[in-house]
Amino acid sequence: MNLNSIRENNKKLTLWYKQPAVKWQQALPLGNGHMGAMVHGGINTERIELTENTCYSWEASGRNNQEGAAQAVPEIRKALFKHDYKTAGELCEKITGRRLNYGTNLPFGNLLIDFENCSDGISGYSRELQLNDALSVVNYKAGEVQYSRELFVSHPRKLAVMRLSSSIPGKLSFTASIDGAGNPFSIHAEGSDLVLDGNAFEYIHSDGKTGVAIHGRLRVVAEEGISTVVENSISVSGAGSALILLAIGTDFAEKDIRNACKDRIDAASEIAYETLKDEHIKDHRSLFGRVVLEFEGECGLWEDTPADQRLDRVKKGGEDPALMALMFQYGRYLLMSSSREDSALPAHLQGIWNDNVACSMGWTCDMHLDINTEMNYWPSKVTNLSECNVPLFKWIEERLVPSGQRTAQVTYGLEGWTAHVVSNAWGYTAPGWAASWGINVTGGLWVATHLWEHYLYTGDREFLCNRLYPVYREAVKFFLKYLEKDPGSGYYLSGPSMSPENSFVHDWNNPVECSNSMGTVCDTVMIRELFTSFISTCQLLGINDELLGETKEKLGKLPPFKIGARGQLQEWFYDYDEPDAHHRHTSHLLSVYPCWQISPETAPELAQAAKVSIRRRTTPAWRWEDTGWARVLLILYSARLLEAENTYRHILAFQRGLTNDNLLSFCPPGAGAETDVYEMDGTTGLCSGIAEALLQSHNNLINILPALPEKWGTGYVKGLRARGGYTVGIVWRDNELESIELEARKDTVCTIKYKDRKVDIPVVKGERYLLDRSLKVIPG
């Protein structure tokens, strides 16, 4: 790619604005998997809100499970089988988890830069986020002086690097400072550095006395001019340019965080800025640059219109397919920024950022297991970011499973492991602390499906044997014994459990909302997925596991999907109605996505029932409980159900109603929120939904452009991954396939499908194949 092509591609992958941000929802995100920064781009004051992925209030506890809970479970089941939901609900309070000092992720603090003599005669202002380079850039002119700022958060160096410059020497003067936001903290000088020490303490989710120790170090290196430490700030006057280095961290993963931060800044200060920048960009592009997506034709207005104006145009009824392509890449960018191979923890509800809203109310900023964590990581497979899974897998193995073994033992009296709705950095696995939402026993199974998906995409047998098999085997041990035979039907049902976070009415003559039951469909979907994957794992590895016989038996006796009286896919074992037919959660439809248990090709009647369920939830549209992640699920379901125009319609609805000026998604007031709350999963989920419309893969079959909307009529994508170990590129024109590029990781026969055509293609590991529109291999 030549220099002009690189510049043009950078434009297409840039969010830019003509004014500074005045609130968090307009600031632009940077991150390196350890620290995050929300850049406001102010003229008089630059405000950069800092976050860190281990900045948690909490304490580890072995007392999260209620003692004696296991004795209550049989009594709950008896009541549930008798449909005595009132008694069962009362008994369920005996098995809920104990919140104790559960904690939450907190904002780390702020970097503030106050400028002198920069408020008069401002012209030519622009601020931008270059996704291709993970670089924030601010430019403006004050009088005759051009001021520029560049900021990136380096993954190789694990610190933030900022360069400020003026076009006329001696015209750059500012004061830089750091603080700990709402955390208790102190600032002191060490030589020419500012040093921050404090603790992640808060009183909403813990006792205000438990949390990690936080540490930060700020250094400013000015060219020319004078730099001095004045009280709690660093003052620079009369400079032409300056370099700011900032390192932050906690004692969660690095016990000697003070020296670690100092060492990082000392090392970086010996290296030229351009070298640090080039190193950062090379590292970032090694992942980000793997996938390219463009929708041509109605290309949008990226060349001459700021991102907020483009979004506003869409919200007023316009359409901008190129903005969809930009938001696709934004989702990949956010996941990369939040979760790298060496991250100490996986991405939480808000990735690596924190809007100080989710952590300051009844919600927590943590790892929710009933949709949010799963959705955050869905793009990692199909959009070629497999390395981003590493901290998630490590957290599951090292924290969730051991904690889940204690929950299985204390709460249920069983071997194996399980986890429920919410979890934190310590791997909390007990039921949530209210029976109405907390007893979702398959939350851990859901997040563990990422391990199986990793194998399906990579074919890594070592991973399958050493990482997945032990986790899945322990889960199988639990669920084999957790299942209970229904006296009436003979099917094995899970329970007590619930369909997150929904409720039902058993008797409309006495309409009481009920949450817990036996055999919720989402449980059955997840247990079927577990058992099927475990059996396949044992077959692939040649293991004659002693659990196989019982697993196969109970797999065959799990309840089938049922179609209810209204033609809908049932959400519960019985055909119950919801008191809120427009509830945001649609967990029974996990059978459509992310699982492949219902599809138009293999189960057309059930697929139609799933469509009816979606229509019931979303009709009338104004009653649908819309959130970022809930709307994204509609995108993903529509793509899997091969409804191209519905996929596009839901993407438009997401942009028009659930997207901030900085293109980050949010959850509107409701469901415990009194104001808009940022959630990363909306944007990462959107990314997955767009990919799903372009490429689907199951059972060694690759379906090309299965849900291509008409408005994406001409375009191309390259670098997507397909299950089976394939890398795929697609070119299409006027809504028809032009060509496919395919590369395999193993010698095999691959089945390619496009519309009603299907071909089998023998492929050799590492070879690239080009197919024409008729799916014939082009020689050479």
Side-chain angles (χ1 to χ4, degrees), residues 245-446:
L245 301 173
L246 173 67
I248 65 174
T250 79
D251 64 353
F252 177 84
E254 292 183 283
K255 298 308 176 186
D256 190 5
I257 188 62
R258 168 181 285 271
N259 282 327
C261 286
K262 184 176 186 302
D263 290 345
R264 288 167 192 161
I265 286 186
D266 285 344
S269 63
E270 299 295 322
I271 301 172
Y273 170 75
E274 290 299 332
T275 302
L276 292 171
K277 178 181 172 182
D278 290 346
E279 175 188 66
H280 157 75
I281 291 174
K282 181 180 179 181
D283 171 79
H284 175 76
R285 288 187 181 178
S286 68
L287 273 70
F288 186 80
R290 294 173 182 173
V291 174
V292 177
L293 172 64
E294 285 198 28
F295 300 138
E296 298 176 0
E298 294 185 37
C299 287
L301 307 171
W302 56 264
E303 285 185 289
D304 57 5
T305 305
D308 54 341
Q309 293 182 25
R310 291 175 67 179
L311 181 64
D312 185 61
R313 176 178 177 268
V314 172
K315 289 184 175 183
K316 291 177 179 177
E319 299 179 28
D320 187 347
L323 186 62
M324 295 178 180
L326 176 63
M327 293 178 70
F328 165 86
Q329 292 286 25
Y330 202 23
R332 299 181 66 242
Y333 169 88
L334 296 178
L335 178 56
M336 274 187 57
S337 301
S338 300
S339 186
R340 296 294 296 269
E341 286 182 275
D342 54 358
S343 298
L345 288 170
H348 54 65
L349 182 74
Q350 301 188 314
I352 201 169
W353 303 278
N354 192 310
D355 65 356
N356 203 25
V357 177
C359 63
S360 300
M361 58 182 187
W363 288 20
T364 52
C365 193
D366 56 12
M367 281 68 84
H368 283 50
L369 302 183
D370 61 351
I371 180 59
N372 312 98
T373 301
E374 290 84 0
M375 186 175 284
N376 273 340
Y377 280 91
W378 281 340
S380 62
K381 287 81 174 173
V382 66
T383 75
N384 217 334
L385 295 174
S386 181
E387 296 90 337
C388 294
N389 287 303
V390 171
L392 177 67
F393 295 163
K394 184 178 179 182
W395 175 76
I396 291 172
E397 294 169 287
E398 297 181 1
R399 298 191 181 274
L400 205 66
V401 170
S403 175
Q405 288 172 327
R406 179 166 179 79
T407 291
Q409 178 185 20
V410 176
T411 301
Y412 301 105
L414 300 176
E415 293 184 295
W417 76 276
T418 189
H420 294 78
V421 180
V422 295
S423 191
N424 58 18
W426 293 108
Y428 182 101
T429 54
W433 37 88
S436 61
W437 59 266
I439 308 177
N440 168 30
V441 76
T442 53
L445 278 193
W446 190 357

Side-chain angles (χ1 to χ4, degrees), residues 149-175:
R149 304 200 291 266
E150 289 187 343
L151 172 64
F152 58 89
V153 182
S154 168
H155 173 254
R157 298 289 167 177
K158 293 183 175 58
L159 80 173
V161 180
M162 186 175 193
R163 186 175 187 273
L164 306 92
S165 63
S166 62
S167 60
I168 300 177
K171 293 294 185 180
L172 181 65
S173 298
F174 63 89
T175 299

Side-chain angles (χ1 to χ4, degrees), residues 627-643:
T627 72
W629 57 262
R631 178 63 66 170
V632 161
L633 283 173
L634 299 183
I635 296 168
L636 289 158
Y637 298 152
S638 296
R640 279 281 174 93
L641 294 170
L642 309 181
E643 297 182 314

Side-chain angles (χ1 to χ4, degrees), residues 502-503 513 577-584 617 623 625:
N502 207 356
S503 59
E513 288 190 32
D577 282 335
E578 316 94 313
D580 177 9
H582 306 92
H583 195 271
R584 63 195 178 278
R617 280 288 208 272
R623 291 200 59 190
E625 190 179 8

